[in-house]
Amino acid sequence: MVPRWAKAVRHWQPGDRVTLPFVCACGACPQCVSGNHQVCDHQFQPGFTHWGSFAEYVAINNADVNLVRFAG
């Protein structure tokens, strides 16, 4: 869920239920610009390369690029 204090997130509203892919992208490299976020030059994986798999809230870099609406 996007918390109310996520001020840098522009494309989502507080309370939106979201998830994210295993491989998160930067959104700006040539691979991301071409729509291939899964092979991003600057990719990161929460829980592996960054904190976060079991946390209640996690700060995600480039959240506007990486968040996916959770249906349900």
Side-chain angles (χ1 to χ4, degrees):
M1 178 169 52
V2 177
R4 59 180 158 61
W5 59 83
K7 297 188 185 334
V9 179
R10 295 191 173 102
H11 301 300
W12 302 91
Q13 299 298 316
D16 284 348
R17 294 183 65 201
V18 295
T19 187
L20 58 128
F22 178 72
V23 175
C24 293
C26 74
C29 71
Q31 287 74 18
C32 287
V33 171
S34 70
N36 294 301
H37 294 175
Q38 75 281 2
V39 291
C40 172
D41 285 340
H42 310 286
Q43 64 178 259
F44 64 97
Q45 295 96 21
F48 289 93
T49 62
H50 292 72
W51 290 100
S53 284
F54 295 103
E56 185 174 355
Y57 291 99
V58 178
I60 299 296
N61 295 334
N62 310 305
D64 284 323
V65 172
N66 291 298
L67 295 180
V68 177
R69 186 169 311 281
F70 183 74

